[in-house]
Amino acid sequence: MSITDNLNTAPSWVSPVMRVGYSARAATYVILGALTVLAAWTGGQAEGTSSALGQLRDTSWGVPVLWAVAVGLFAYALWRLIAAHYDLELHGSGLKGIVARGGLIVTGLIHVGLGVSAARQAMGGGEGGDSVQSLASWLMQQGEWGKWAVATVGLVTIAAGIYYVFKGFRESYKRHLRETRLSRKLDPAVKVGLVAHGIVIAIIGIFLAYAGWNADPSQAGGMGLAFEAVRNQPFGRFLLAGLGLGLIAFAVYCVVEAVYRIIPRCSSGSMHTLAGNFSTAWERRLKRFA
């Protein structure tokens, strides 16, 4: 019997939607990481997420892949929104839980935007501009408060990046992952991927905060600008290549999530996670919701 039988759980299709979503996220980061490594090797321009996906359009198999990625990103967004609504990960209704569930909503909305971008590219609609810079520009046009909003978004983004880095080092992700021989072997790549992703997100946040402070939206930017900032450092091409490999490792993390992730409200207490027995980690939380 599931230890969540006495709780209101999400629809049965939540789990497959989540797994499709993580798979699409993995495909996106494989493409992005590979192009970043290639840019470091050849000295070319490092691409952001939208531009990296846009390069697929010119290949013979690119359009079907773009559609598949778009559908998957929408699935990931749906998973995040449903997880927030049903509190599938048992964050609770306190201040900490509200912040965590708010973060799920924000990441869901971000992936709606990425899904729209991939769909537009599949239809030949072009890559568009830098979405982060566009957001900063729009906010600053709304009034004097706009630059402070951009700076605040930047600080929140930095915090999100730090969260990913700590998530990797503290290994808190292990509580959600079913333990198997393969998941144990892939764990080092998962840790590296989370740290690399956190570094990129934090750099984007720094540019956003700086743009808000100076009331200059041109100083904001997404992953493309973050990659260029890394390249401009001493030994920048080597750092950029390492970051690209780290993003490929983050794709491995997404694959591991797609295959082995446990949804607390929808899972039994008999399985074993990378962090130990599932029931000992989550049953105490479930009792608070019963």
Side-chain angles (χ1 to χ4, degrees):
M1 176 182 292
S2 169
I3 59 177
T4 61
D5 281 349
N6 60 336
L7 301 172
N8 292 322
T9 59
S12 59
W13 45 261
V14 167
S15 181
V17 165
M18 177 266 290
R19 300 190 194 286
V20 169
Y22 272 112
S23 298
R25 207 176 181 213
T28 302
Y29 276 94
V30 164
I31 296 166
L32 182 61
L35 289 175
T36 302
V37 172
L38 181 63
W41 180 264
T42 63
Q45 177 73 31
E47 304 288 354
T49 307
S50 297
S51 298
L53 290 175
Q55 291 198 20
L56 289 176
R57 192 174 55 241
D58 298 328
T59 66
S60 58
W61 41 268
V63 172
V65 171
L66 280 171
W67 277 118
V69 168
V71 171
L73 290 173
F74 286 132
Y76 183 81
L78 182 60
W79 145 248
R80 301 298 272 184
L81 296 174
I82 290 175
H85 176 71
Y86 285 96
D87 194 15
L88 297 183
E89 296 177 341
L90 306 178
H91 294 296
S93 56
L95 178 60
K96 185 177 179 180
I98 290 172
V99 171
R101 292 166 74 178
L104 293 175
I105 294 172
V106 170
T107 55
L109 295 176
I110 289 172
H111 282 79
V112 168
L114 291 175
V116 169
S117 177
R120 287 183 65 248
Q121 291 160 2
M123 293 185 290
E127 297 176 7
D130 188 308
S131 58
V132 175
Q133 194 173 101
S134 298
L135 173 63
S137 179
W138 179 81
L139 284 172
M140 290 185 192
Q141 291 172 7
Q142 306 309 304
E144 179 65 21
W145 59 269
K147 66 177 184 179
W148 301 114
V150 172
T152 301
V153 171
L155 293 175
V156 171
T157 304
I158 293 171
I162 294 172
Y163 164 77
Y164 273 106
V165 172
F166 273 87
K167 184 177 181 179
F169 279 117
R170 296 181 64 184
E171 301 182 343
S172 58
Y173 59 88
K174 288 185 175 183
R175 294 178 300 167
H176 298 82
L177 297 176
R178 183 163 49 88
E179 183 183 33
T180 68
R181 180 179 299 178
L182 182 57
S183 64
R184 288 197 305 269
K185 287 182 177 180
L186 292 175
D187 186 59
V190 167
K191 182 180 294 188
V192 169
L194 284 166
V195 172
H197 184 63
I199 291 171
V200 173
I201 296 301
I203 293 172
I204 293 172
I206 291 170
F207 279 115
L208 266 170
Y210 189 70
W213 180 261
N214 292 293
D216 183 1
S218 67
Q219 294 176 340
M223 286 193 174
L225 185 59
F227 294 150
E228 285 307 305
V230 171
R231 188 209 293 275
N232 291 332
Q233 303 308 307
F235 306 102
R237 289 178 64 175
F238 295 100
L239 293 174
L240 185 63
L243 202 56
L245 292 173
L247 293 179
I248 294 173
F250 185 74
V252 173
Y253 160 74
C254 292
V255 171
V256 171
E257 290 275 11
V259 177
Y260 299 112
R261 187 177 182 89
I262 298 168
I263 303 175
R265 276 193 185 267
C266 307
S267 303
S268 73
S270 59
M271 64 184 67
H272 205 73
T273 73
L274 288 172
N277 195 333
F278 173 81
S279 61
T280 59
W282 294 103
E283 198 166 17
R284 289 190 299 272
R285 290 196 186 188
L286 285 165
K287 287 178 179 178
R288 299 205 307 264
F289 292 85

